[in-house]
Amino acid sequence: MSHDKILILDFGSQVTQLIARRVRESHVYCEIHPNDVSDDFIRQYAPKGIILSGSHASTYEDHQLRAPQAVWDLGVPVLGICYGMQTMAVQLGGEVSWSDTREFGYAEVRAHGHTRLLKGIEDFSTPEGHGMLKVWMSHGDKVTALPPGFKLMASTPSCPVAGMANEEKGLYAVQFHPEVTHTVQGQALLWRFVRDICGCAGDWIMGNYIEEAVAKIREQVGDEEVILGLSGGVDSSVAAALIHRAIGDQLTCVFVDHGLLRLNEGDMVMDMFAGKLHAKVIRVDASELFLGQLAGVTDPERKRKIIGGLFVDVFKAEAAKLKASGAGHKGATFLAQGTIYPDVVESGGTKTKKATTIKSHHNVGGLPEQLGLKLLEPLRELFKDEVRELGVALGLPPDMVYRHPFPGPGLGVRILGDIRPEFVKLLQRADHIFIEELRSTVDHNSGKSWYDLTSQAFTVFLPVKSVGVMGDGRTYDYVVALRAVQTSDFMTADWAELPYSLLKRVSSRIINEVRGINRVTYDVSSKPPATIEWE
């Protein structure tokens, strides 16, 4: 790869991904790797700069959680964040100790010394003329003695050293977290570091990346054939479009329709990929199989396992049929997956041994070995927002690419309790009305639709009935809950304050148009303590 690169060394923070996302937003390529990579790895990676992440640990408790010596010997700029600042201090001759006053949350930091990193970056200034930053803190330890050659760069009343710098060597560190949105000037600070101080070119742009990715796929695949499980989701759709751009008819997509998709979604997928892109797509209607196996199952984890297991079984059967058919088809030797960078990170693919694995992910590992195929993951280096940008650049419609996230098990985890075919139909129609109204209702302040203003919106079918009145008659029908949230990272989320007029219209339409539902509720729970999905 010819791009300028930033290396992010992960010390176990749960928000290290956010550092990488902010760097990529500056159009600079970066990767996350464990803090204990070898000196040789760092030299071979040849970064233009290095960022040290935060951590749950303390420098005086975990003496093994240190940056490799090559970080200091390579001669490139280094930015330490939170724990990254503390290990920089300790490793270069300073001191760190526990703090009487811990800082978790909002803080106002005073800048000192007019360093290159913070020059001209401030949220407000005091009457005395001191530049101030509104930041997010999360630490119980603090630097108590600067390393030789360092000067004070920032402070708070309870954290006298909230930032330090050795500008001669290009070493900077901050105790706060510039990667989180709560730090107002965080993006400006990271841009300053990677673009100005490290001198990265800013050439990481999705429209330009297509040619590079296409060449890489062609080199990896050669004249062999590829099979891809097309779910209709954003990741698999963009992967399919990119691979098809690279190798055309060498790609066969298998679209397993489990009957738990949104209204008419299966037809939309076929229209786009078979109709408009002219890709080879095999549609497998397995809805009866899936719904039959799910009958009577109410536990959400069992639902997920059944759906995931059946998907693999159906996909394997179709792959075997393709291999056996012979005519015009040599049989796939590659399995393509829409794995994206967060999948890799969250599955432990780049995590230090000392970090906590957040979750395992269905896209990483397993299926290629069962099928005896090599793995092709063309989106493996990309974050979700980059995948969306790439999809638009490839010619996929923005309405498809910028759709809200949809869980792998589909409506199977949005129907609480038993899943019956009639419940699926009711939910599909109710959810379609909700999304239709969100798309068509514009917020006058922003000029955007409420669909674009929410990060995820959907309808949940509840396994309860309630009494209602329609005309002169009594009804006893089902209840649905509307859910809409706003978030920047999906780690935390607030329920969306949709206009009452919009909610009233959605409720009226669902009750009038979907026979079998007579009550609509709105979920006003934030994450945490609730999750975004109900199951």
Side-chain angles (χ1 to χ4, degrees):
M1 184 178 287
S2 59
H3 301 281
D4 291 337
K5 297 179 290 188
I6 295 293
L7 173 62
I8 300 170
L9 292 181
D10 179 26
F11 289 85
S13 169
Q14 300 293 358
V15 293
T16 302
Q17 276 192 51
L18 298 183
I19 303 174
R21 284 182 59 191
R22 299 289 174 259
V23 171
R24 298 276 187 94
E25 286 168 9
S26 300
H27 302 300
V28 173
Y29 183 76
C30 64
E31 290 180 9
I32 301 169
H33 289 279
N35 75 282
D36 52 4
V37 294
S38 68
D39 288 342
D40 283 344
F41 173 86
I42 293 175
R43 284 190 286 266
Q44 289 169 15
Y45 186 82
K48 294 271 285 188
I50 298 171
I51 299 178
L52 310 178
S53 85
S55 176
H56 57 280
S58 294
T59 55
Y60 47 81
E61 290 176 348
D62 194 336
H63 299 286
Q64 303 303 311
L65 204 60
R66 297 287 185 264
Q69 185 59 36
V71 169
W72 320 115
D73 296 343
L74 203 59
V76 299
V78 181
L79 173 64
I81 295 174
C82 196
Y83 182 91
M85 168 169 153
Q86 294 167 10
T87 197
M88 181 185 289
V90 169
Q91 290 185 249
L92 299 181
E95 293 179 8
V96 172
S97 67
W98 63 278
S99 177
D100 291 330
T101 306
R102 298 187 300 170
E103 285 185 302
F104 291 96
Y106 176 80
E108 293 180 354
V109 169
R110 174 186 165 187
H112 297 263
H114 303 289
T115 59
R116 190 177 175 194
L117 182 68
L118 296 183
K119 186 177 180 181
I121 297 176
E122 64 178 44
D123 289 306
F124 65 97
S125 58
T126 66
E128 297 79 20
H130 302 310
M132 303 292 290
L133 294 169
K134 298 177 180 179
V135 305
W136 189 260
M137 290 280 198
S138 180
H139 68 101
D141 298 337
K142 62 183 179 183
V143 174
T144 50
L146 292 171
F150 278 74
K151 66 179 180 181
L152 184 65
M153 184 169 66
S155 67
T156 72
S158 59
C159 184
V161 183
M164 62 182 194
N166 181 331
E167 296 209 272
E168 185 180 329
K169 294 186 175 179
L171 305 178
Y172 299 86
V174 292
Q175 188 59 65
F176 55 88
H177 287 269
E179 69 271 31
V180 302
T181 54
H182 303 78
T183 298
V184 178
Q185 299 295 333
Q187 180 61 38
L189 186 154
L190 288 168
W191 176 288
R192 173 71 54 79
F193 179 72
V194 301
R195 295 292 295 271
D196 296 345
I197 294 173
C198 297
C200 292
D203 58 358
W204 182 248
I205 298 165
M206 286 301 98
N208 301 339
Y209 177 66
I210 293 174
E211 188 177 334
E212 181 180 323
V214 163
K216 190 174 178 182
I217 292 166
R218 286 175 180 164
E219 181 183 359
Q220 185 177 354
V221 174
D223 63 354
E224 299 178 54
E225 299 199 14
V226 179
I227 186 171
L228 178 144
L230 184 61
S231 68
V234 173
D235 301 335
S236 70
S237 296
V238 174
L242 178 61
I243 297 168
H244 185 258
R245 172 78 65 94
I247 60 173
D249 283 350
Q250 289 169 251
L251 169 69
T252 300
C253 299
V254 176
F255 173 40
V256 178
D257 186 347
H258 51 39
L260 298 165
L261 298 172
R262 289 168 282 209
L263 188 67
N264 301 325
E265 187 164 27
D267 294 337
M268 288 166 49
V269 170
M270 293 302 296
D271 179 62
M272 170 51 59
F273 286 94
K276 293 188 173 64
L277 293 182
H278 306 295
K280 288 195 294 188
V281 185
I282 298 170
R283 182 176 185 175
V284 184
D285 184 355
S287 54
E288 286 189 14
L289 172 65
F290 277 81
L291 291 172
Q293 291 287 321
L294 288 166
V297 177
T298 59
D299 179 71
E301 276 308 301
R302 278 197 64 209
K303 289 180 187 178
R304 288 178 183 273
K305 284 180 177 152
I306 289 168
I307 293 168
L310 282 176
F311 180 88
V312 170
D313 291 343
V314 173
F315 188 83
K316 283 167 69 175
E318 289 302 315
K321 283 183 197 173
L322 280 172
K323 198 165 187 178
S325 67
H329 198 289
K330 295 178 291 185
T333 53
F334 280 91
L335 171 69
Q337 293 190 149
T339 308
I340 64 174
Y341 199 46
D343 301 338
V344 178
V345 175
E346 291 173 359
S347 301
T350 67
K351 281 282 183 183
T352 167
K353 299 186 291 288
K354 301 172 181 66
T356 303
T357 297
I358 302 168
K359 66 178 180 180
S360 59
H361 195 282
H362 70 280
N363 272 349
V364 183
L367 193 55
E369 291 82 357
Q370 294 179 45
L371 292 171
L373 299 177
K374 295 176 281 188
L375 191 57
L376 176 63
E377 297 176 310
L379 309 181
R380 186 182 175 89
E381 297 168 338
L382 306 184
F383 283 100
K384 191 77 167 192
D385 50 349
E386 294 171 323
V387 171
R388 296 186 196 278
E389 287 177 35
L390 181 62
V392 172
L394 284 164
L396 294 177
D399 281 358
M400 170 183 274
V401 171
Y402 283 94
R403 278 183 309 173
H404 291 175
F406 190 62
L411 301 183
V413 289
R414 291 180 178 172
I415 297 172
L416 307 193
D418 190 14
I419 300 172
R420 299 183 201 168
E422 61 268 30
F423 294 172
V424 176
K425 290 177 182 176
L426 289 173
L427 180 56
Q428 284 176 329
R429 292 167 61 199
D431 186 70
H432 180 72
I433 289 169
F434 185 29
I435 299 304
E436 192 173 66
E437 289 294 339
L438 286 170
R439 286 191 184 278
S440 64
T441 306
V442 175
D443 171 60
H444 297 299
N445 292 324
S446 66
K448 295 181 179 180
S449 77
W450 274 101
Y451 185 85
D452 292 330
L453 289 172
T454 52
S455 308
Q456 193 165 357
F458 54 92
T459 308
V460 180
F461 185 89
L462 306 183
V464 295
K465 282 188 166 185
S466 74
V467 174
V469 177
M470 286 191 181
D472 294 323
R474 173 186 182 274
T475 62
Y476 189 56
D477 287 327
Y478 289 101
V479 182
V480 293
L482 309 178
R483 177 76 159 142
V485 298
Q486 294 173 316
T487 177
S488 60
D489 54 22
F490 287 89
M491 294 179 177
T492 62
D494 291 323
W495 60 275
E497 296 185 33
L498 300 179
Y500 289 153
S501 57
L502 169 58
L503 291 171
K504 183 177 181 179
R505 197 160 56 250
V506 172
S507 175
S508 176
R509 281 195 61 192
I510 289 174
I511 292 170
N512 282 302
E513 296 176 31
V514 185
R515 189 180 294 273
I517 296 173
N518 71 351
R519 193 175 296 268
V520 176
T521 64
Y522 187 53
D523 181 351
V524 292
S525 313
S526 292
K527 176 188 179 182
T531 55
I532 295 175
E533 295 284 350
W534 279 43
E535 286 193 343

